[in-house]
Amino acid sequence: MDVDEIEEEEFGFSRNYFLAKELGSSSRKKSARKLSEIDLVDEEELREVAASIEPKHEKEVNELISSYKSIYSNWLFVLRSGFALLMYGFGSKKALIEDFASKSLTEYSVVVVNGYLQSINLKQVVITLAELLWDQVKLRQKTTSGSLCKSQQPFNTRSISDLLTFLDSPDLEVEECFVCILVHNIDGPGLRDSDSQQCLASIAACSHVRMVASIDHVNAPLLWDKKMVHTQFDWYWCHVPTFAPYKVESMFFPFILAHGGSAQSVKTASIVLQSLTPNAQNVFKVLAEHQLAHPDEEGMPINNLYSTCRERFLVSSQVTLNSHLTEFKDHELIKTKRNSDGQDCLCIPLTNEALQKLIAEIV
């Protein structure tokens, strides 16, 4: 076979290939169906069915959890040695970490950060850590010397850098005095940005802080660079698959194949509110009652909310109210908008029916 015949054969093959592609694309019918036409099940119904699924291999799972509990003393030794614990493996590790804290960290103050929430106020976390550490220092110095240490500037007025300096201060002169921070899902959606991870790394690097965290995403280690892993977090990796369902963590995420009904929004908001103080719940109730009584308004002005709450002895100052509002915003319970008069107003992003159900649950 000469060169011309080979070239002609190759040309014929390529031409037939493109002709077949052209005929196939022109004869293929396009579907007129839309994603919105899919009949999806209600989210509440889907969650009820999921919750009714019976767990399997309970005996083996319980034995596995018992094996982890037997090494709690090892984990405590690791923390006292200055390392941070990082729990990884299939299944929710929330119950395991909290059980470890309740049984082995009783001598220390513990702050819990739920990284599975959509937004988290890390500055408030650092303020809380500093306040708890200061309380420990005062208690220990009073016990040993009988005298109180000098007062400190209020921590909520300090910058994050000043707070971190205090948490890393070598001048406290108290042996083995540290506070613990538990971070469930340190790779969660509210903590995945670089600023949040750098802030957490700076917290973990403080000499008076010990961190216990969990990860669930396979690419979670990509959030950190070499310096963060080895000199700031200083992780001690613990492979602890629990095979436990992510019941609490999944409450804050809609199922893919389900409608996000108002019932689920009420349930989620109720869980968040139950974790807040009674005063915070009552402040939220004031806002909810105003929204139900004035459905045509754009929201409740912040000044009006403060006046009402002060009359009912729910807050003592604007600063107290702002701290409650910050919690509400962090958990996406309220939204801020500006009305036609230029005032900042607060509203709850729920229907009146859902809001009535929510008030009934928190009464």
Side-chain angles (χ1 to χ4, degrees):
M1 184 180 294
D2 57 16
V3 177
D4 293 337
E5 290 177 348
I6 294 174
E7 289 181 354
E8 185 176 352
E9 183 178 351
E10 290 179 351
F11 174 74
F13 174 78
S14 59
R15 186 180 55 150
N16 291 337
Y17 170 78
F18 286 108
L19 283 173
K21 292 286 286 183
E22 184 178 349
L23 290 172
S25 60
S26 61
S27 61
R28 191 181 299 117
K29 295 181 179 180
K30 293 184 178 180
S31 174
R33 296 184 179 275
K34 299 177 182 179
L35 188 62
S36 58
E37 295 174 358
I38 299 175
D39 186 20
L40 300 179
V41 69
D42 183 73
E43 183 167 357
E44 186 68 17
E45 182 182 348
L46 188 57
R47 288 187 183 274
E48 288 178 1
V49 173
S52 65
I53 299 174
E54 294 184 1
K56 298 180 179 179
H57 311 292
E58 288 187 80
K59 180 183 176 182
E60 291 79 3
V61 170
N62 289 335
E63 290 176 354
L64 187 63
I65 300 300
S66 297
S67 69
Y68 300 148
K69 292 181 179 181
S70 66
I71 57 173
Y72 279 179
S73 58
N74 296 352
W75 293 351
L76 181 58
F77 174 77
V78 169
L79 286 177
R80 284 176 170 171
S81 300
F83 295 93
L85 294 174
L86 183 64
M87 311 292 184
Y88 70 100
F90 183 80
S92 173
K93 292 158 283 292
K94 179 178 172 64
L96 177 66
I97 292 175
E98 291 181 352
D99 183 69
F100 166 66
S102 65
K103 292 179 179 176
S104 300
L105 301 179
T106 53
E107 298 179 14
Y108 310 100
S109 299
V110 177
V111 176
V112 180
V113 177
N114 295 318
Y116 47 79
L117 297 176
Q118 295 296 323
S119 59
I120 296 160
N121 188 343
L122 284 179
K123 183 176 182 180
Q124 189 59 48
V125 172
V126 180
I127 291 171
T128 305
L129 288 170
E131 289 174 344
L132 291 173
L133 178 62
W134 183 239
D135 289 341
Q136 277 193 36
V137 171
K138 288 192 295 184
L139 180 62
R140 295 199 181 191
Q141 289 189 351
K142 183 179 179 181
T143 304
T144 54
S145 63
S147 60
L148 290 172
C149 47
K150 61 181 181 180
S151 60
Q152 287 275 343
Q153 176 189 348
F155 291 108
N156 57 2
T157 62
R158 299 192 188 185
S159 65
I160 287 187
S161 60
D162 288 342
L163 294 168
L164 292 173
T165 301
F166 171 75
L167 291 171
D168 197 34
S169 174
D171 303 327
L172 294 180
E173 299 178 355
V174 180
E175 292 184 4
E176 206 182 57
C177 183
F178 57 80
V179 289
C180 298
I181 175 172
L182 311 183
V183 187
H184 299 300
N185 300 95
I186 197 172
D187 55 344
L191 298 174
R192 284 179 188 166
D193 60 285
S194 58
D195 291 339
S196 296
Q197 289 297 321
Q198 186 56 62
C199 182
L200 288 167
S202 300
I203 293 171
C206 295
S207 57
H208 297 288
V209 176
R210 299 293 183 271
M211 181 176 287
V212 182
S214 67
I215 57 173
D216 286 286
H217 199 286
V218 66
N219 292 325
L222 297 178
L223 294 170
W224 312 309
D225 56 31
K226 188 175 180 180
K227 176 187 175 184
M228 294 167 72
V229 171
H230 295 295
T231 64
Q232 291 183 299
F233 283 120
D234 211 3
W235 294 123
Y236 180 87
W237 296 70
C238 303
H239 185 219
V240 287
T242 63
F243 303 98
Y246 295 91
K247 288 183 179 180
V248 178
E249 296 91 333
S250 62
M251 287 297 299
F252 300 90
F253 294 90
F255 281 174
I256 295 174
L257 296 177
H259 290 302
S262 61
Q264 183 58 33
S265 300
V266 170
K267 192 171 183 180
T268 303
S270 176
I271 291 173
V272 172
L273 285 170
Q274 287 171 10
S275 67
L276 302 179
T277 63
N279 271 6
Q281 293 176 15
N282 288 326
V283 170
F284 183 86
K285 188 179 176 183
V286 170
L287 180 59
E289 289 172 346
H290 179 275
Q291 185 164 317
L292 290 172
H294 306 85
D296 298 329
E297 293 185 5
E298 297 174 87
M300 186 176 189
I302 296 178
N303 292 336
N304 294 0
L305 177 63
Y306 174 65
S307 300
T308 305
C309 292
R310 191 177 176 87
E311 289 172 1
R312 299 186 186 184
F313 300 101
L314 299 177
V315 298
S316 57
S317 65
Q318 185 72 46
V319 174
T320 307
L321 177 63
N322 289 341
S323 67
H324 291 321
L325 296 180
T326 300
E327 284 185 308
F328 298 156
K329 290 174 184 176
D330 288 344
H331 294 96
E332 298 182 342
L333 292 174
I334 62 172
K335 290 185 177 179
T336 306
K337 60 171 70 172
R338 186 158 292 180
N339 63 10
S340 55
D341 297 331
Q343 290 181 305
D344 287 332
C345 296
L346 302 169
C347 66
I348 302 170
L350 289 174
T351 62
N352 286 350
E353 181 183 357
L355 202 51
Q356 288 173 347
K357 291 180 181 178
L358 181 58
I359 291 176
E361 288 194 14
I362 64 174
V363 169

